[in-house]
Amino acid sequence: MFGHPKGLFLLFTTELWERFSYYAMRAILVLYLVDKVQTEGGHGLGWSQADAISLYGTFTGLVYLTPLIGGWLADAHLGQRKAIYIGGFLMAAGQFLLGTPHAWVPGMEIEMFYLGLGTLILGNGLFKPNISTMVGDLYEEGDHRRDGAFTIFYMGINVGAFLSGIVVGSVVAAYDGNFQAGFICAGIGMIASLIIQFFFAQKLLGDIGTVPAAKLEQSKNEAKGEVRKEPLTKIERDRIKVIMVMGLFTIVFWAGFEQAGGLMNLFTNDFTDRMIGSWEVPTTWFQSLNAMFIVLFAPVIASIWIKLGKNEPNSPVKFALGLFFLAVGFLFMIGAVLEMGGDASVKSSMWWLVGAYFFHTMGELCLSPIGLSMVTKLAPLRIASLMMGAWFLFIAAANKIGGLVGSLIGHGGSVEDQLANAMAIFAGIAITSVLSGIILYLMADKLVDWMHGAEGKHDSEEQVLEEEIAVTAEHEAIKR
């Protein structure tokens, strides 16, 4: 279909509904926490903004931490297919626990809330790294369609994300601001993802994901009569170094980007003029801007890379571009604060937010699908899901750091102080992004060398192995 295996579009649809579920919950999580408690006429938990953003950072950080464990379990024991089923079931259960009406568990609202979040985190750990790894498994090594496949897959993620903000915002409004109705809506999306995968996986994916990767690698080596004594070859170690270095810069990007669900979400709710005539745009709808821009511009960016041909920038340079675009987006947020002039009674134009989300999206398109593709190209097969989990570990750190940075808006201080703090946060992220982008751009050639042929013209694997054997022999001679 469109030059790709049909299995790609099954994974596309499965991930679409899973991401609908996750982003629907993400769009309302902070708003639910800061809304008034039930006894005061609200439907939330009545937390402070700083506490809500801090918890948001912890939750999203753990969401990206548990894939490290889930990836290892799939590689060593479960296989990716089974891990996806178990993870999807747990995620659906977590959403429904969050949506449990408070009247059902009087006095235990917080306990049910944390139980729901914990179940979601565990389920996500099993689901997230393995669905991405299966996309890479559809293609043979060296298949030029792989980057394009991840861009298509990424569009599926963002169709779900786009629908989530619109649908959940409308559902919450229809139920008089009851955020728990939104959590139920998210749970239904997760059930849809599971049903699609269950009925079509065997037909369209065959045996992909049914055998743990470690056993698959062992079988291949035994068939070739190979017994690997060294855990990793020199090529594998160098390629893993690239993943680790790029991961550090990924932290900078996502720590800024994830302000969308926390600080920028609250800025939209409290300080932005959302009126169009007599109608007020729901806050959650702005969470769909990023996804809408990705759906519109992902094919454009992908076609630009193809048209550049030999002049296409390598992965590190694309990452650097992503960091520069992130900084431009925060310049728009600085503009929104400046427009208010320190007066909280003056609302900023919503067009500042549109501009910020647009440039953040351009940065994401230069970084996120390229990063997923890079991990599947560079990671050794026997630890592919584990390395995908390690990649999400960097994003976990970024989310926690992003939550800590966003919480610097203050614990219930004056509105003017919150505005001043927001300005400092936006400016600090912009400066950090630019500096990181410059450093990464200067390191690009060295990182490409460490990829050993995954990008650009470099030594073959045989040449590198010969070099490694020679160096090892020399070291042994010195020892003797």
Side-chain angles (χ1 to χ4, degrees):
M1 187 182 291
F2 304 115
H4 288 274
K6 290 182 180 179
L8 173 64
F9 298 91
L10 169 64
L11 298 175
F12 170 102
T13 308
T14 303
E15 181 73 347
L16 184 157
W17 283 108
E18 186 273 333
R19 289 291 89 183
F20 170 89
S21 172
Y22 174 75
Y23 281 104
M25 185 276 298
R26 194 191 84 152
I28 59 176
L29 178 60
V30 170
L31 301 177
Y32 170 65
L33 290 171
V34 301
D35 194 33
K36 294 178 181 178
V37 294
Q38 294 75 19
T39 55
E40 298 176 17
H43 295 277
L45 298 180
W47 289 24
S48 72
Q49 290 186 341
D51 287 339
I53 294 175
S54 181
L55 178 81
Y56 171 82
T58 300
F59 167 71
T60 53
L62 289 172
V63 156
Y64 287 101
L65 174 63
T66 50
L68 185 64
I69 301 169
W72 173 78
L73 283 172
D75 280 339
H77 302 290
L78 297 175
Q80 293 141 356
R81 190 92 59 86
K82 193 178 292 184
I84 286 173
Y85 289 139
I86 297 171
F89 174 78
L90 288 172
M91 291 177 75
Q95 298 283 19
F96 289 124
L97 284 170
L98 290 176
T100 303
H102 288 151
W104 291 5
V105 282
M108 293 189 64
E109 294 87 354
I110 297 295
E111 287 80 0
M112 293 300 294
F113 173 72
Y114 281 124
L115 179 61
L117 284 187
T119 307
L120 261 175
I121 289 164
L122 292 174
N124 184 84
L126 286 165
F127 192 102
K128 192 167 185 63
N130 297 301
I131 192 91
S132 299
T133 304
M134 286 172 71
V135 173
D137 289 344
L138 290 169
Y139 301 88
E140 297 293 333
E141 186 174 348
D143 193 326
H144 68 280
R145 297 176 297 169
R146 189 188 295 251
D147 278 4
F150 273 98
T151 300
I152 292 170
F153 180 68
Y154 212 66
M155 286 179 66
I157 291 174
N158 286 282
V159 169
F162 170 74
L163 292 172
S164 67
I166 304 293
V167 172
V168 77
S170 302
V171 168
V172 169
Y175 283 86
D176 193 29
N178 190 334
F179 292 104
Q180 291 185 296
F183 295 132
I184 295 293
C185 178
I188 293 171
M190 194 63 240
I191 292 293
S193 176
L194 276 174
I195 290 172
I196 290 167
Q197 182 68 206
F198 181 79
F199 281 105
F200 296 101
Q202 192 59 43
K203 179 181 178 181
L204 298 180
L205 296 174
D207 292 331
I208 289 176
T210 57
V211 180
K215 293 181 181 177
L216 196 62
E217 175 83 355
Q218 184 179 2
S219 299
K220 286 185 177 180
N221 288 336
E222 287 175 355
K224 294 177 183 178
E226 295 177 358
V227 179
R228 189 187 295 272
K229 295 181 179 179
E230 285 288 327
L232 294 170
T233 67
K234 182 179 186 302
I235 282 183
E236 290 171 336
R237 290 196 299 271
D238 281 350
R239 288 177 171 177
I240 289 173
K241 279 195 289 186
V242 175
I243 295 174
M244 297 295 107
V245 172
M246 298 282 272
L248 295 176
F249 291 95
T250 295
I251 291 176
V252 176
F253 180 85
W254 289 112
F257 184 91
E258 280 298 329
Q259 299 304 318
L263 180 58
M264 289 172 66
N265 205 12
L266 292 177
F267 190 91
T268 305
N269 196 57
D270 299 338
F271 300 125
T272 302
D273 179 8
R274 294 179 279 115
M275 300 302 297
I276 299 177
S278 59
W279 179 64
E280 186 175 43
V281 181
T283 300
T284 59
W285 284 30
F286 287 86
Q287 295 291 297
S288 291
L289 282 175
N290 167 248
M292 181 185 74
F293 287 141
I294 282 182
V295 172
L296 291 175
F297 291 101
V300 177
I301 297 296
S303 66
I304 288 173
W305 300 145
I306 292 171
K307 287 181 180 179
L308 285 173
K310 294 180 179 179
N311 296 318
E312 179 185 357
N314 54 47
S315 294
V317 172
K318 289 177 182 177
F319 269 53
L321 282 173
L323 289 163
F324 293 141
F325 279 129
L326 180 73
V328 174
F330 278 107
L331 290 180
F332 277 80
M333 295 309 301
I334 291 170
V337 178
L338 290 174
E339 182 185 8
M340 298 174 68
D343 185 353
S345 64
V346 177
K347 300 288 187 179
S348 67
S349 169
M350 70 177 77
W351 293 108
W352 291 112
L353 278 166
V354 174
Y357 281 120
F358 173 78
F359 281 102
H360 286 180
T361 301
M362 294 302 102
E364 184 180 3
L365 285 172
C366 289
L367 186 141
S368 191
I370 306 304
L372 293 175
S373 178
M374 182 192 70
V375 173
T376 64
K377 283 189 287 190
L378 299 179
L381 174 62
R382 63 192 179 281
I383 55 170
S385 288
L386 180 63
M387 291 310 301
M388 188 64 75
W391 185 252
F392 289 128
L393 180 61
F394 288 110
I395 303 176
N399 277 271
K400 181 55 183 174
I401 292 168
L404 293 174
V405 170
S407 69
L408 296 176
I409 192 172
H411 290 265
S414 70
V415 179
E416 288 73 20
D417 286 344
Q418 290 181 8
L419 276 177
N421 292 340
M423 170 67 94
I425 293 169
F426 296 147
I429 295 173
I431 293 168
T432 304
S433 299
V434 170
L435 293 176
S436 299
I438 292 171
I439 293 170
L440 182 55
Y441 179 80
L442 296 175
M443 293 177 62
D445 289 343
K446 183 60 178 176
L447 291 171
V448 171
D449 286 340
W450 284 346
M451 292 183 189
H452 293 293
E455 292 188 19
K457 295 180 180 179
H458 299 280
D459 293 339
S460 68
E461 183 161 351
E462 290 77 10
Q463 288 173 306
V464 177
L465 286 172
E466 287 175 6
E467 179 186 341
E468 182 177 12
I469 292 168
V471 171
T472 303
E474 183 180 345
H475 287 173
E476 289 298 320
I478 292 172
K479 283 182 186 177
R480 292 195 181 103

